[in-house]
């Protein structure tokens, strides 16, 4: 069964460093998403991406965040200068078509900022 | 504003008991979509079900059933004859017609003891 793949599973970084989280969405999907889950809390939407541009973003998704689809398969989330409060599980998701289609999630990348 | 409330933070049952997880939502939109996701201890988010606001039929899938009631803005999830493998955090989520994002509740941690 096709699945969303995220790498790495765990990323440790120093405060102020840049990190790139990588995702390979399901191959025929057209919409891509990033969510985050701070430990023990609910899952929060960050951004959606369609047709090579951001279609929606939350207040959390400020200037230190960016997303990119550098090729036909990868979808990345970059955090420019990490802060302690960026420590969380980051989930990538993809859906087949317009929203309301089911969003399928990857296993997540746990980001630890020291 | 859209909001999802899962009032039960944690539930503990003994195997073979039936258990119902509550979900109450708020939205001003007349067209919206409701979802349930499962997050097992391994951390990934697993899609369980999607309902749209025009379809109030209850749904059964094996030991799982869902009760959608617009009159009370609820979308409850029942597991019949629970099993240890059902132990997980269960999230209810809402998506409005004009938005790409899923808004999640805080989740209910279900522990099924042998």
């Amino acid at each position: 069964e096709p699945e969303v793949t995220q790498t790495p599973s765990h990323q440790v970084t120093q405060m102020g460093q840049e990190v790139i989280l990588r995702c390979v969405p399901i191959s025929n999907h057209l919409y891509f998403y990033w969510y985050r889950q701070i430990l023990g809390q609910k899952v929060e939407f960050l951004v959606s991406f369609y047709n090579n541009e951001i279609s929606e973003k939350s207040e959390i998704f400020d200037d230190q965040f960016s997303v990119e689809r550098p090729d036909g398969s990868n979808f990345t989330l970059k955090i420019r200068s990490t802060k302690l409060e960026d420590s969380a599980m980051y989930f990538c998701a993809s859906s087949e078509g317009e929203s309301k289609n089911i969003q399928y999630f990857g296993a997540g990348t746990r980001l630890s900022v020291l | 504003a859209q909001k999802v409330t899962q009032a039960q933070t944690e539930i503990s049952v003994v195997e073979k008991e039936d258990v119902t997880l509550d979900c109450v939502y708020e939205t001003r939109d007349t067209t919206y979509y409701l979802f349930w996701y499962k997050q097992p201890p391994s951390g990934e988010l697993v899609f369980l079900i999607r309902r749209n606001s025009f379809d109030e039929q209850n749904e059964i899938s094996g030991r799982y059933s869902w009760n959608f009631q617009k009159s009370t803005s609820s979308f409850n999830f029942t597991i019949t004859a629970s099993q240890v493998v059902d132990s997980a955090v269960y999230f209810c989520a809402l998506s409005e017609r004009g938005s790409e994002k899923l808004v999640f509740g805080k989740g209910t941690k279900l522990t099924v003891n042998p």
Side-chain angles (χ1 to χ4, degrees), chain A residues 20-93:
Chain A
I20 297 177
L21 309 182
R22 302 180 190 279
C23 169
V24 179
I26 294 173
S27 62
N28 63 335
H29 285 189
L30 301 176
Y31 287 76
F32 315 111
Y33 312 85
W34 284 101
Y35 291 79
R36 79 172 185 190
Q37 184 183 28
I38 295 172
L39 186 64
Q41 299 187 25
K42 65 180 176 180
V43 179
E44 300 174 291
F45 170 79
L46 293 178
V47 65
S48 60
F49 190 85
Y50 169 70
N51 200 24
N52 281 319
E53 59 183 31
I54 291 173
S55 50
E56 188 174 350
K57 63 181 180 179
S58 71
E59 292 177 353
I60 303 168
F61 195 87
D62 61 22
D63 291 345
Q64 72 161 342
F65 291 93
S66 62
V67 289
E68 190 178 36
R69 188 156 163 80
D71 54 42
S73 60
N74 289 284
F75 179 51
T76 62
L77 173 69
K78 181 192 290 186
I79 308 175
R80 266 180 262 285
S81 178
T82 51
K83 305 170 189 168
L84 294 176
E85 54 265 37
D86 292 327
S87 295
M89 180 74 90
Y90 288 81
F91 290 103
C92 174

Coordinates of all heavy atoms in Angstrom, one line a residue, chain A residues 20-93:
Chain A
I20 N 16.1 20.9 7.7 CA 15.2 20.6 6.6 C 14.7 19.2 6.9 O 15.4 18.2 7.1 CB 16.0 20.6 5.3 CG1 16.5 22.0 5.0 CG2 15.0 20.1 4.2 CD1 17.3 22.1 3.7
L21 N 13.4 19.2 6.9 CA 12.6 17.9 7.1 C 12.1 17.5 5.8 O 11.5 18.3 5.0 CB 11.5 18.1 8.1 CG 11.9 18.7 9.5 CD1 10.7 18.8 10.4 CD2 13.0 18.0 10.1
R22 N 12.3 16.2 5.5 CA 12.0 15.7 4.1 C 10.8 14.7 4.1 O 10.6 14.0 5.1 CB 13.2 15.0 3.5 CG 14.4 16.0 3.5 CD 15.6 15.3 2.9 NE 16.8 16.2 3.0 CZ 17.0 17.2 2.3 NH1 16.3 17.6 1.3 NH2 18.1 18.0 2.5
C23 N 10.1 14.8 3.0 CA 8.9 14.0 2.9 C 8.8 13.5 1.5 O 9.0 14.3 0.5 CB 7.6 14.8 3.3 SG 6.0 14.1 2.9
V24 N 8.4 12.3 1.3 CA 8.0 11.8 -0.1 C 6.5 11.5 0.0 O 6.1 10.5 0.6 CB 8.8 10.6 -0.5 CG1 8.4 10.1 -1.9 CG2 10.3 10.9 -0.5
P25 N 5.7 12.3 -0.6 CA 4.2 12.0 -0.6 C 3.9 10.8 -1.4 O 4.7 10.3 -2.2 CB 3.6 13.3 -1.1 CG 4.7 14.3 -1.1 CD 6.0 13.6 -1.2
I26 N 2.6 10.4 -1.3 CA 2.1 9.3 -2.2 C 2.2 9.8 -3.6 O 1.8 11.0 -3.9 CB 0.7 8.9 -1.7 CG1 0.8 8.3 -0.4 CG2 0.1 7.9 -2.7 CD1 -0.5 7.9 0.3
S27 N 2.6 9.0 -4.6 CA 3.0 9.4 -5.9 C 1.9 10.2 -6.7 O 2.3 11.1 -7.4 CB 3.6 8.3 -6.7 OG 2.6 7.3 -6.9
N28 N 0.7 9.8 -6.7 CA -0.3 10.4 -7.5 C -1.0 11.5 -6.8 O -2.0 12.1 -7.3 CB -1.3 9.4 -8.1 CG -2.1 8.7 -7.0 OD1 -1.6 8.7 -5.8 ND2 -3.2 8.2 -7.3
H29 N -0.6 11.9 -5.6 CA -1.2 12.9 -4.8 C -0.8 14.3 -5.2 O 0.3 14.5 -5.7 CB -1.0 12.7 -3.3 CG -1.8 11.6 -2.7 ND1 -1.8 11.4 -1.4 CD2 -2.6 10.7 -3.3 CE1 -2.6 10.3 -1.2 NE2 -3.1 9.9 -2.3
L30 N -1.7 15.3 -5.1 CA -1.5 16.6 -5.6 C -1.4 17.7 -4.5 O -0.9 18.8 -4.7 CB -2.6 17.0 -6.6 CG -2.8 16.1 -7.8 CD1 -3.9 16.6 -8.6 CD2 -1.5 16.1 -8.6
Y31 N -1.9 17.4 -3.3 CA -1.9 18.3 -2.2 C -1.0 17.8 -1.1 O -1.0 16.6 -0.8 CB -3.3 18.5 -1.7 CG -4.3 19.3 -2.6 CD1 -4.8 18.7 -3.7 CD2 -4.6 20.6 -2.3 CE1 -5.6 19.4 -4.6 CE2 -5.4 21.3 -3.1 CZ -5.9 20.7 -4.3 OH -6.7 21.4 -5.1
F32 N -0.3 18.7 -0.5 CA 0.7 18.3 0.5 C 0.6 19.2 1.7 O 0.3 20.4 1.6 CB 2.1 18.4 -0.1 CG 2.2 17.8 -1.5 CD1 2.5 18.6 -2.6 CD2 2.1 16.4 -1.6 CE1 2.5 18.0 -3.9 CE2 2.1 15.8 -2.9 CZ 2.4 16.6 -4.0
Y33 N 0.9 18.7 2.8 CA 0.7 19.4 4.1 C 1.8 19.1 5.1 O 2.4 18.1 5.0 CB -0.6 18.9 4.7 CG -1.8 18.8 3.8 CD1 -2.1 17.7 3.0 CD2 -2.7 19.9 3.7 CE1 -3.1 17.6 2.2 CE2 -3.8 19.8 2.9 CZ -4.0 18.7 2.1 OH -5.1 18.6 1.3
W34 N 2.0 20.1 6.0 CA 2.8 19.9 7.2 C 2.0 20.2 8.4 O 1.3 21.2 8.4 CB 4.1 20.7 7.1 CG 5.1 20.2 6.2 CD1 5.4 20.7 5.0 CD2 6.0 19.1 6.5 NE1 6.5 19.9 4.4 CE2 6.9 19.0 5.3 CE3 6.2 18.3 7.6 CZ2 7.9 18.0 5.3 CZ3 7.2 17.3 7.5 CH2 8.0 17.2 6.3
Y35 N 2.1 19.4 9.4 CA 1.5 19.6 10.7 C 2.6 19.4 11.7 O 3.6 18.7 11.5 CB 0.4 18.5 11.0 CG -0.9 18.7 10.1 CD1 -0.9 18.3 8.8 CD2 -2.0 19.3 10.6 CE1 -2.1 18.4 8.0 CE2 -3.2 19.4 9.9 CZ -3.2 19.0 8.6 OH -4.3 19.1 7.8
R36 N 2.3 19.9 13.0 CA 3.2 19.6 14.0 C 2.5 19.2 15.3 O 1.3 19.6 15.5 CB 4.2 20.7 14.3 CG 3.6 21.8 15.2 CD 4.6 22.9 15.6 NE 3.9 23.8 16.5 CZ 4.5 25.0 16.9 NH1 5.7 25.3 16.4 NH2 3.9 25.8 17.7
Q37 N 3.1 18.4 16.1 CA 2.5 18.0 17.4 C 3.6 18.2 18.5 O 4.5 17.4 18.6 CB 2.0 16.5 17.3 CG 1.3 16.1 18.5 CD 0.9 14.6 18.5 OE1 1.6 13.8 17.8 NE2 -0.2 14.2 19.1
I38 N 3.4 19.2 19.3 CA 4.2 19.3 20.5 C 3.9 18.2 21.4 O 2.7 17.8 21.5 CB 4.1 20.7 21.1 CG1 4.6 21.8 20.1 CG2 4.8 20.8 22.4 CD1 4.3 23.2 20.5
L39 N 4.9 17.7 22.1 CA 4.7 16.5 22.9 C 3.5 16.6 23.8 O 3.4 17.5 24.6 CB 6.0 16.3 23.8 CG 6.0 15.0 24.6 CD1 6.0 13.8 23.7 CD2 7.2 14.9 25.5
G40 N 2.6 15.6 23.7 CA 1.4 15.5 24.5 C 0.3 16.4 24.2 O -0.7 16.4 24.9
Q41 N 0.5 17.2 23.1 CA -0.6 18.1 22.7 C -1.2 17.7 21.4 O -0.9 16.7 20.8 CB 0.0 19.5 22.6 CG 0.6 20.0 23.9 CD 1.0 21.5 23.9 OE1 0.5 22.2 23.0 NE2 2.0 21.8 24.7
K42 N -2.1 18.5 20.9 CA -2.8 18.1 19.7 C -2.0 18.4 18.5 O -1.1 19.2 18.5 CB -4.2 18.9 19.7 CG -4.1 20.4 19.5 CD -5.5 20.9 19.5 CE -5.5 22.4 19.4 NZ -6.9 23.0 19.4
V43 N -2.5 17.9 17.4 CA -1.8 18.1 16.1 C -2.3 19.4 15.5 O -3.5 19.7 15.5 CB -2.2 16.9 15.2 CG1 -1.6 17.1 13.8 CG2 -1.8 15.6 15.8
E44 N -1.3 20.2 15.1 CA -1.7 21.6 14.6 C -1.2 21.7 13.1 O -0.1 21.3 12.8 CB -0.9 22.6 15.4 CG -1.2 22.6 16.9 CD -0.3 23.6 17.6 OE1 0.9 23.4 17.7 OE2 -0.8 24.6 18.1
F45 N -2.1 22.3 12.4 CA -1.8 22.6 10.9 C -0.8 23.7 10.8 O -0.8 24.7 11.5 CB -3.1 23.0 10.3 CG -3.0 23.5 8.9 CD1 -2.8 22.6 7.8 CD2 -3.0 24.9 8.6 CE1 -2.7 23.1 6.5 CE2 -2.9 25.4 7.3 CZ -2.7 24.5 6.3
L46 N 0.2 23.4 9.9 CA 1.2 24.5 9.6 C 0.9 25.1 8.2 O 0.7 26.3 8.1 CB 2.6 23.9 9.6 CG 3.1 23.4 10.9 CD1 4.5 22.8 10.7 CD2 3.2 24.6 11.9
V47 N 0.8 24.2 7.2 CA 0.8 24.7 5.8 C 0.2 23.7 4.8 O 0.4 22.5 5.1 CB 2.2 25.2 5.4 CG1 3.1 24.0 5.3 CG2 2.2 26.0 4.1
S48 N -0.4 24.2 3.8 CA -0.8 23.3 2.7 C -0.2 23.8 1.4 O 0.1 25.0 1.3 CB -2.3 23.2 2.6 OG -2.9 24.4 2.3
F49 N 0.0 22.9 0.5 CA 0.8 23.3 -0.7 C 0.2 22.6 -1.9 O -0.1 21.4 -1.9 CB 2.3 22.8 -0.5 CG 3.3 23.2 -1.5 CD1 3.9 24.4 -1.3 CD2 3.7 22.4 -2.6 CE1 4.9 24.9 -2.2 CE2 4.6 22.8 -3.5 CZ 5.3 24.0 -3.3
Y50 N 0.0 23.4 -3.0 CA -0.7 22.8 -4.2 C -0.2 23.5 -5.4 O 0.0 24.8 -5.3 CB -2.2 22.9 -4.1 CG -2.9 22.6 -5.4 CD1 -2.9 21.3 -5.9 CD2 -3.5 23.6 -6.1 CE1 -3.5 21.0 -7.1 CE2 -4.2 23.3 -7.3 CZ -4.2 22.0 -7.8 OH -4.8 21.7 -9.0
N51 N 0.1 22.8 -6.4 CA 0.5 23.5 -7.7 C 1.7 24.4 -7.5 O 1.8 25.5 -8.0 CB -0.6 24.2 -8.3 CG -0.5 24.5 -9.7 OD1 0.2 23.8 -10.4 ND2 -1.1 25.6 -10.2
N52 N 2.7 23.9 -6.7 CA 3.9 24.6 -6.4 C 3.8 25.9 -5.7 O 4.7 26.8 -5.8 CB 4.7 24.8 -7.7 CG 5.4 23.6 -8.2 OD1 6.0 22.8 -7.3 ND2 5.4 23.3 -9.4
E53 N 2.7 26.1 -4.9 CA 2.6 27.2 -4.1 C 1.8 26.9 -2.8 O 1.1 26.0 -2.8 CB 2.1 28.4 -4.8 CG 0.7 28.2 -5.4 CD 0.2 29.4 -6.2 OE1 1.0 30.1 -6.8 OE2 -1.0 29.7 -6.2
I54 N 2.1 27.8 -1.8 CA 1.3 27.6 -0.6 C -0.1 28.0 -0.8 O -0.4 29.1 -1.4 CB 1.9 28.5 0.5 CG1 3.3 28.0 0.9 CG2 1.0 28.6 1.7 CD1 4.1 28.9 1.9
S55 N -1.1 27.1 -0.4 CA -2.5 27.4 -0.6 C -3.1 27.9 0.7 O -4.1 28.6 0.7 CB -3.2 26.2 -1.1 OG -2.9 25.0 -0.4
E56 N -2.5 27.5 1.8 CA -3.0 28.0 3.1 C -1.9 27.8 4.1 O -1.2 26.9 4.0 CB -4.3 27.2 3.5 CG -5.0 27.7 4.7 CD -6.3 27.0 5.0 OE1 -6.7 26.2 4.1 OE2 -6.9 27.2 6.1
K57 N -1.9 28.7 5.1 CA -0.9 28.5 6.2 C -1.5 29.1 7.5 O -2.4 29.9 7.5 CB 0.4 29.3 5.9 CG 0.2 30.8 5.7 CD 1.6 31.4 5.4 CE 1.5 32.9 5.2 NZ 2.8 33.6 4.9
S58 N -1.0 28.6 8.6 CA -1.5 29.0 9.9 C -0.6 30.1 10.4 O 0.5 30.4 9.9 CB -1.5 27.8 10.8 OG -0.1 27.4 11.2
E59 N -1.0 30.6 11.6 CA -0.2 31.7 12.2 C 1.1 31.2 12.7 O 2.1 31.9 12.9 CB -1.0 32.2 13.4 CG -2.3 33.0 13.1 CD -3.1 33.4 14.3 OE1 -2.7 33.0 15.4 OE2 -4.0 34.1 14.1
I60 N 1.2 29.9 12.9 CA 2.5 29.3 13.4 C 3.5 29.4 12.3 O 4.7 29.6 12.5 CB 2.3 27.8 13.7 CG1 1.2 27.6 14.8 CG2 3.6 27.2 14.2 CD1 0.8 26.2 15.0
F61 N 3.1 29.3 11.1 CA 4.0 29.2 9.9 C 4.4 30.7 9.6 O 3.9 31.3 8.7 CB 3.2 28.6 8.7 CG 4.1 28.2 7.6 CD1 4.7 27.0 7.6 CD2 4.4 29.1 6.5 CE1 5.5 26.6 6.5 CE2 5.2 28.7 5.5 CZ 5.8 27.5 5.4
D62 N 5.4 31.1 10.4 CA 5.9 32.5 10.1 C 7.1 32.5 9.2 O 7.4 31.4 8.6 CB 6.2 33.1 11.5 CG 7.3 32.3 12.3 OD1 8.1 31.6 11.6 OD2 7.4 32.5 13.5
D63 N 7.8 33.6 9.2 CA 8.9 33.7 8.2 C 10.1 32.8 8.4 O 10.9 32.6 7.5 CB 9.5 35.2 8.3 CG 8.4 36.1 7.7 OD1 7.5 35.7 7.1 OD2 8.6 37.4 8.0
Q64 N 10.2 32.1 9.5 CA 11.3 31.2 9.7 C 11.0 29.8 9.1 O 11.9 29.0 9.0 CB 11.6 31.0 11.2 CG 10.5 30.2 12.0 CD 11.1 29.7 13.3 OE1 12.3 29.6 13.5 NE2 10.2 29.3 14.2
F65 N 9.8 29.6 8.6 CA 9.4 28.4 8.0 C 9.3 28.6 6.5 O 8.9 29.7 6.0 CB 8.0 27.9 8.5 CG 8.0 27.4 9.9 CD1 7.6 28.3 10.9 CD2 8.3 26.1 10.2 CE1 7.6 27.9 12.2 CE2 8.3 25.7 11.5 CZ 7.9 26.5 12.5
S66 N 9.6 27.6 5.7 CA 9.4 27.6 4.3 C 9.2 26.2 3.8 O 9.6 25.2 4.5 CB 10.5 28.3 3.5 OG 11.7 27.5 3.7
V67 N 8.5 26.0 2.7 CA 8.3 24.7 2.1 C 8.7 24.8 0.7 O 8.6 25.8 0.0 CB 6.8 24.2 2.2 CG1 6.5 23.9 3.7 CG2 5.8 25.3 1.7
E68 N 9.0 23.6 0.2 CA 9.5 23.5 -1.2 C 9.2 22.1 -1.7 O 9.2 21.1 -1.0 CB 11.0 23.8 -1.2 CG 11.6 24.0 -2.6 CD 13.0 24.3 -2.6 OE1 13.8 23.8 -1.7 OE2 13.5 25.1 -3.4
R69 N 9.0 22.0 -3.0 CA 8.9 20.8 -3.7 C 10.0 20.8 -4.8 O 9.7 21.2 -5.9 CB 7.5 20.6 -4.3 CG 7.3 19.2 -4.9 CD 5.8 18.9 -4.9 NE 5.5 17.8 -5.8 CZ 5.6 16.5 -5.5 NH1 6.0 16.2 -4.3 NH2 5.2 15.5 -6.3
P70 N 11.2 20.4 -4.4 CA 12.4 20.7 -5.3 C 12.4 19.8 -6.5 O 13.0 20.1 -7.5 CB 13.5 20.3 -4.3 CG 13.0 19.4 -3.3 CD 11.6 19.8 -3.1
D71 N 11.7 18.7 -6.5 CA 11.6 17.8 -7.6 C 10.2 17.1 -7.6 O 9.3 17.5 -6.9 CB 12.7 16.8 -7.6 CG 12.7 16.0 -6.3 OD1 11.6 15.6 -5.8 OD2 13.8 15.8 -5.7
G72 N 10.1 16.1 -8.5 CA 8.7 15.5 -8.6 C 8.3 14.6 -7.5 O 7.2 14.2 -7.5
S73 N 9.2 14.4 -6.5 CA 8.8 13.4 -5.5 C 9.0 14.0 -4.1 O 8.2 13.6 -3.2 CB 9.7 12.2 -5.6 OG 11.0 12.5 -5.5
N74 N 9.9 14.9 -3.8 CA 10.1 15.3 -2.4 C 9.3 16.6 -2.1 O 9.0 17.4 -2.9 CB 11.6 15.6 -2.2 CG 12.4 14.4 -2.2 OD1 12.4 13.6 -1.3 ND2 13.1 14.1 -3.3
F75 N 9.0 16.7 -0.8 CA 8.4 17.9 -0.3 C 9.1 18.2 1.0 O 9.1 17.3 1.9 CB 6.9 17.6 -0.1 CG 6.1 18.7 0.5 CD1 6.1 20.0 0.0 CD2 5.2 18.5 1.6 CE1 5.3 21.0 0.5 CE2 4.4 19.5 2.1 CZ 4.5 20.8 1.6
T76 N 9.6 19.4 1.2 CA 10.4 19.7 2.3 C 9.9 20.8 3.1 O 9.2 21.7 2.6 CB 11.9 20.0 1.9 OG1 11.9 21.2 1.1 CG2 12.5 18.9 1.1
L77 N 10.2 20.8 4.4 CA 9.9 21.9 5.4 C 11.2 22.3 5.9 O 12.0 21.5 6.5 CB 9.0 21.4 6.5 CG 8.8 22.4 7.6 CD1 7.9 23.6 7.1 CD2 8.1 21.7 8.8
K78 N 11.5 23.6 5.8 CA 12.8 24.2 6.3 C 12.4 25.1 7.4 O 11.5 26.0 7.3 CB 13.5 25.0 5.2 CG 14.8 25.6 5.7 CD 15.4 26.6 4.7 CE 15.9 25.9 3.4 NZ 16.6 26.9 2.5
I79 N 13.2 25.0 8.5 CA 13.1 25.9 9.6 C 14.4 26.6 9.6 O 15.5 26.0 9.8 CB 12.8 25.2 10.9 CG1 11.6 24.3 10.8 CG2 12.6 26.3 12.0 CD1 11.3 23.5 12.1
R80 N 14.4 27.9 9.4 CA 15.7 28.7 9.2 C 16.6 28.8 10.4 O 17.7 28.5 10.4 CB 15.4 30.1 8.7 CG 15.4 30.2 7.2 CD 15.1 31.6 6.8 NE 13.7 31.8 6.4 CZ 13.1 31.3 5.3 NH1 13.8 30.7 4.4 NH2 11.8 31.5 5.0
S81 N 16.0 29.2 11.5 CA 16.8 29.4 12.8 C 16.0 28.8 13.9 O 15.1 29.4 14.4 CB 17.0 30.9 13.0 OG 17.7 31.1 14.2
T82 N 16.3 27.6 14.2 CA 15.4 26.8 15.2 C 15.5 27.4 16.6 O 16.5 28.0 17.0 CB 15.8 25.4 15.2 OG1 17.3 25.3 15.5 CG2 15.5 24.6 13.9
K83 N 14.3 27.3 17.2 CA 14.2 27.7 18.6 C 13.8 26.5 19.5 O 13.4 25.5 18.9 CB 13.0 28.8 18.7 CG 13.2 30.0 17.8 CD 11.9 30.8 17.8 CE 12.0 31.9 16.8 NZ 10.7 32.5 16.5
L84 N 14.0 26.7 20.7 CA 13.7 25.6 21.6 C 12.2 25.1 21.4 O 11.9 23.9 21.5 CB 13.9 26.0 23.1 CG 15.3 26.2 23.5 CD1 15.4 26.7 25.0 CD2 16.2 25.0 23.3
E85 N 11.3 26.1 21.2 CA 9.9 25.8 21.1 C 9.5 25.1 19.8 O 8.4 24.8 19.6 CB 9.0 27.0 21.4 CG 9.4 28.2 20.5 CD 10.4 29.2 21.2 OE1 11.3 28.7 21.9 OE2 10.2 30.4 20.9
D86 N 10.5 25.0 18.9 CA 10.2 24.2 17.7 C 10.3 22.7 17.9 O 10.0 22.0 17.0 CB 11.2 24.7 16.6 CG 11.0 26.1 16.1 OD1 9.8 26.6 16.1 OD2 12.0 26.7 15.8
S87 N 10.8 22.3 19.0 CA 10.8 20.9 19.3 C 9.4 20.3 19.3 O 8.5 20.8 20.0 CB 11.4 20.7 20.7 OG 12.8 21.1 20.7
A88 N 9.3 19.3 18.4 CA 7.9 18.7 18.2 C 8.1 17.6 17.3 O 9.1 17.3 16.7 CB 7.0 19.8 17.6
M89 N 7.0 16.9 17.1 CA 6.9 15.9 16.0 C 6.3 16.6 14.8 O 5.2 17.3 14.9 CB 6.0 14.7 16.4 CG 5.8 13.7 15.4 SD 7.3 12.7 15.2 CE 7.0 11.4 16.4
Y90 N 6.9 16.5 13.6 CA 6.4 17.1 12.4 C 5.9 16.0 11.5 O 6.6 15.1 11.1 CB 7.5 17.9 11.8 CG 7.8 19.2 12.5 CD1 8.7 19.2 13.7 CD2 7.3 20.4 12.2 CE1 8.9 20.3 14.4 CE2 7.5 21.6 12.9 CZ 8.4 21.5 14.0 OH 8.6 22.6 14.7
F91 N 4.6 16.2 11.1 CA 4.0 15.2 10.2 C 3.8 15.8 8.8 O 3.3 17.0 8.7 CB 2.6 14.8 10.7 CG 2.7 14.0 12.0 CD1 2.4 14.5 13.2 CD2 3.0 12.6 11.9 CE1 2.4 13.8 14.4 CE2 3.0 11.8 13.0 CZ 2.7 12.4 14.3
C92 N 4.1 15.1 7.8 CA 3.8 15.4 6.5 C 2.6 14.6 6.1 O 2.4 13.5 6.6 CB 5.0 15.0 5.6 SG 4.7 15.2 3.8
A93 N 1.7 15.2 5.2 CA 0.6 14.5 4.8 C 0.3 14.8 3.3 O 0.8 15.8 2.8 CB -0.7 14.8 5.6

